[in-house]
Amino acid sequence: MDYLQLQGSQSLKGKIKISGAKNASLPLIAMTILANNNVKICNLPHVADINTLLKLLTNLGASCDRTNDSIYVDTSKLNETKATYDIVKTMRASILVLGPLLARFGHCEVSLPGGCAIGQRPVDLHLKALEQMGANIEIKNGYIEATAPNGLKGCDIVFDKITVTGTANIVMAAALAHGKTTITNAAREPEVVQLCKVLNESGIKIQGIGTAFLSVRGTAGKLIDIVNFSVIPDRIEAGTYLCAGAITNSKLTITNTDPSHLGAVIAKLEEMGFCINSTKNTITINPTKTIKPVKIVTREYPAFPTDMQAQFMALATQANGVSIIEERLFENRFMHVSELQRMGADISLNGHTATINGKSKLSATDVMATDLRASSALVLAALVATGETNIHRIYHLDRGYDSLEKKLEGVGAKIKRLKE
Ligand code: UD1
């Protein structure tokens, strides 16, 4: 197993190029199940979660031809409709094949994803919406067995909670359904917006893109010709490297990014005293005299993303004063706290709220990554800790960060990937 070794107290300098967004790529790859053609996707990140989904599609009979950042996905020979436990257990987002498989074949089986490190994360809203569209859903032996022999029917869906993959799943199902589906309380994340835009450009009439009310006109089962497209930049990767600049109080420029997707993150960095300069596709963070404490509440887009919560908690340990971070989306997303405490952070937890008393002098030690974003918080803390930090179980990081150690090394971090 690999681990990362970092020498702390480094100052960073230079540019980091952002890769394509993992969370946009996943629904876009699942979307190829709806295609009539061989679909070309550009700017695909090199991360383990993408490989997991491609493996799932290959198991179902698709062929995937990847060269560097581009891939052709051909689902014309799909002949299997069962997403098995061995794959789904490694990545919850595998649930994204449920909507498109059911819409195309009228039946499928997808293993129930179950809980994960950051909480219970049910898929009840996905299932309820598909039932409303006429699907018969049964849970048997840990699998979701879905059937809709006469196809799915458009209807009016109101999500009780805003769900990102739930919205993506239902938009994809609705694309091949009979008639019109409306979704009230839809997710507005840029990743959902890109899925809707690509489907729209491929001939599916979708109204309300980027709003909480979507209306999708289905093809009544006819597969679609999907246009070539390039995945949007990863806003969470960009936000993480902005935090690397912030925590080391260095000047860093993030390139190949979209600042319009990072409004809430940039606003919080500015509140903490950093001067941020953006162009159309770059963001530069500049050092500040004093890092100020911050108050953060995680919410759905366009508010502050839960996927940036752990990184800001690491950053808040270096602020002068008391920061408060409230996690509203997931019940157990504070796994990084105990590891940060072991490095010397002064953090107290009360339910969904963390109080961070800065500034703490962090010291290096052996720490363990627990989930994807928690792991990046440990990398950030290690950048300023005195001494050598070893971060174990970095397979969590590899799920979502493309070449993290190379990108950080490129701006002067002393970071090595080693074998246990
Ligand atoms: C997606 C992102 C993840 C991010 C999260 C919130 C992907 C692949 N993952 O996850 O990185 O942290 O959005 O921005 O895009 N819920 C239910 N029932 C459901 C579905 C969701 O109760 O059927 C709850 C969840 O437990 C959670 C909240 O709704 O509390 C939001 O979850 P959701 O938006 O669905 O997260 P994901 O799509 O899994």
Side-chain angles (χ1 to χ4, degrees):
M1 226 189 287
D2 291 357
Y3 70 100
L4 285 181
Q5 188 172 79
L6 286 102
Q7 303 291 336
S9 310
Q10 305 291 320
S11 173
L12 307 179
K13 192 179 172 195
K15 293 183 181 174
I16 297 183
K17 187 176 171 208
I18 298 307
S19 302
K22 167 183 88 73
N23 284 356
S25 306
L26 294 170
L28 290 165
I29 291 170
M31 177 196 66
T32 63
I33 294 172
L34 308 174
N36 209 9
N37 59 321
N38 194 2
V39 183
K40 184 178 183 192
I41 308 178
C42 298
N43 201 32
L44 201 65
H46 295 266
V47 296
D49 273 8
I50 303 292
N51 297 339
T52 304
L53 187 57
L54 292 174
K55 184 169 169 213
L56 169 52
L57 282 195
T58 309
N59 287 354
L60 300 179
S63 69
C64 305
D65 182 10
R66 183 162 190 173
T67 344
N68 299 326
D69 296 349
S70 303
I71 193 167
Y72 281 92
V73 184
D74 181 358
T75 62
S76 60
K77 297 200 176 66
L78 274 198
N79 52 5
E80 182 52 71
T81 55
K82 184 168 179 175
T84 50
Y85 176 67
D86 56 327
I87 293 213
V88 179
K89 73 169 189 229
T90 63
M91 188 184 67
R92 300 190 80 265
S94 309
I95 192 71
L96 282 163
V97 300
L98 175 65
L101 279 179
L102 182 60
R104 172 164 165 181
F105 295 101
H107 63 88
C108 67
E109 283 174 70
V110 177
S111 171
L112 268 174
C116 72
I118 64 172
Q120 207 188 359
R121 296 180 86 176
V123 290
D124 56 317
L125 301 174
H126 304 230
L127 303 185
K128 193 175 153 207
L130 288 171
E131 276 176 337
Q132 265 184 272
M133 295 177 81
N136 178 36
I137 307 243
E138 284 185 59
I139 307 292
K140 272 196 206 152
N141 308 322
Y143 278 78
I144 302 161
E145 291 188 8
T147 50
N150 301 317
L152 294 168
K153 290 177 195 62
C155 66
D156 297 322
I157 289 159
V158 181
F159 278 127
D160 280 349
K161 269 191 199 171
I162 300 176
T163 162
V164 176
T165 48
T167 304
N169 235 335
I170 300 310
V171 165
M172 291 188 279
L176 294 201
H178 296 260
K180 187 171 86 173
T181 302
T182 65
I183 307 174
T184 302
N185 213 19
R188 292 183 285 158
E189 270 66 7
E191 296 76 19
V192 174
V193 169
Q194 182 172 33
L195 173 71
C196 292
K197 279 188 178 163
V198 173
L199 283 170
N200 202 43
E201 283 166 27
S202 308
I204 301 294
K205 288 204 179 75
I206 306 186
Q207 287 175 333
I209 296 177
T211 75
F213 183 82
L214 292 171
S215 158
V216 184
R217 170 88 40 199
T219 62
K222 191 167 170 286
L223 297 179
I224 49 183
D225 275 329
I226 294 182
V227 294
N228 296 342
F229 60 89
S230 180
V231 177
I232 56 169
D234 197 310
R235 63 195 166 100
I236 305 303
E237 190 197 15
T240 303
Y241 292 127
L242 286 174
C243 285
I247 200 165
T248 56
N249 213 2
S250 309
K251 179 172 178 175
L252 266 193
T253 297
I254 309 303
T255 66
N256 193 36
T257 183
D258 186 339
S260 72
H261 294 162
L262 282 145
V265 169
I266 290 173
K268 288 297 162 191
L269 289 170
E270 285 174 338
E271 268 177 57
M272 295 180 87
F274 296 98
C275 175
I276 309 281
N277 304 115
S278 302
T279 66
K280 192 166 172 278
N281 52 13
T282 71
I283 309 173
T284 300
I285 181 160
N286 297 285
T288 176
K289 278 205 182 95
T290 318
I291 305 181
K292 293 184 209 151
V294 71
K295 281 204 171 72
I296 288 174
V297 179
T298 67
R299 285 186 201 275
E300 297 85 0
Y301 189 85
F304 190 90
T306 172
D307 286 355
M308 284 301 304
Q309 181 256 104
Q311 299 89 320
F312 267 77
M313 188 161 328
L315 174 56
T317 66
Q318 300 308 297
N320 292 282
V322 178
S323 297
I324 297 188
I325 300 184
E326 197 181 329
E327 172 58 55
R328 289 268 180 95
L329 269 90
F330 295 109
E331 73 264 27
N332 189 26
R333 206 169 196 180
F334 282 138
M335 308 272 285
H336 41 286
V337 170
S338 52
E339 295 302 89
L340 289 173
Q341 284 167 333
R342 291 184 56 247
M343 295 178 79
D346 180 353
I347 304 173
S348 53
L349 279 182
N350 184 3
H352 290 206
T353 304
T355 304
I356 306 104
N357 212 341
K359 173 183 181 176
S360 295
K361 195 166 165 30
L362 300 183
S363 47
T365 182
D366 279 39
V367 287
M368 202 133 77
T370 47
D371 76 56
L372 172 55
R373 307 301 170 187
S375 322
S376 58
L378 299 180
V379 172
L380 294 176
L383 287 173
V384 286
T386 312
E388 186 177 277
T389 303
N390 295 307
I391 307 178
H392 303 275
R393 299 205 181 162
I394 55 160
Y395 54 86
H396 288 293
L397 268 178
D398 293 336
R399 283 189 40 217
Y401 286 93
D402 186 342
S403 321
L404 175 121
E405 70 273 18
K406 289 201 187 86
K407 291 188 185 189
L408 281 175
E409 204 178 18
V411 291
K414 297 222 164 109
I415 179 167
K416 275 193 260 179
R417 177 182 286 260
L418 298 166
K419 295 256 176 246
E420 300 277 7

